[in-house]
Amino acid sequence: MIGPVHHVGIAVRNLDAAVERYRLLGLALDFVEDFPAAGVRVAFLNAGDMRVELLTPLTADTTVARFLEKRGEGLHHLAFRTADLVSELAQLEGQGFELVDRAPRPGAHGSRVAFLHPRSAHGVLIELVQEPP
């Protein structure tokens, strides 16, 4: 079963400027990490029981770069925690969700992640996150 919200992903053009803006809201920077496998640099900020993830592309040929070009800065995805990502994917596919990832892939900070296509969730990209043990 999907758990609580893990984070909200926001695509930004300038990560440093975005981090500073969100810090003015009182959010504390947790970590910044380059994630070459996804072609992004991410910054996670603590927001109570969840986080805000700011994403910026490392190169112009990434999905986040294409997102920014097409839609501009803003909400990119909504992420939920799960304890068993493999089982969750199988269950959701059985319920008619369209999977972007049929198997988990590496995520930021040692997590495993998988995405559900926005067509399956009324236009919102959904990320499922399983934290490392």
Side-chain angles (χ1 to χ4, degrees):
M1 179 95 182
I2 290 176
V5 172
H6 183 270
H7 68 269
V8 173
I10 301 170
V12 300
R13 288 189 175 89
N14 182 319
L15 190 66
D16 292 334
V19 165
E20 289 310 310
R21 176 60 72 179
Y22 278 83
R23 289 179 73 183
L24 291 174
L25 292 172
L27 304 184
L29 180 63
D30 188 15
F31 67 90
V32 176
E33 179 179 354
D34 281 355
F35 199 62
V40 295
R41 173 174 289 135
V42 298
F44 277 85
L45 297 105
N46 290 320
D49 293 337
M50 61 167 277
R51 293 175 171 164
V52 171
E53 177 189 30
L54 303 173
L55 308 100
T56 197
L58 291 172
T59 61
D61 62 344
T62 65
T63 57
V64 173
R66 288 188 296 275
F67 178 93
L68 286 167
E69 182 67 29
K70 185 176 181 180
R71 296 187 177 99
E73 294 183 305
L75 179 66
H76 182 263
H77 65 272
L78 180 58
F80 294 94
R81 297 177 194 274
T82 183
D84 186 348
L85 189 50
V86 172
S87 295
E88 196 68 52
L89 288 171
Q91 179 181 355
L92 291 168
E93 185 174 35
Q95 294 172 334
F97 283 87
E98 183 179 345
L99 307 181
V100 172
D101 301 298
R102 295 201 164 286
R105 60 173 137 156
H109 229 52
S111 65
R112 295 186 332 145
V113 302
F115 288 87
L116 307 179
H117 199 283
R119 286 187 293 257
S120 295
H122 303 277
V124 177
L125 180 64
I126 300 291
E127 180 182 10
L128 304 176
V129 180
Q130 183 175 340
E131 294 285 346

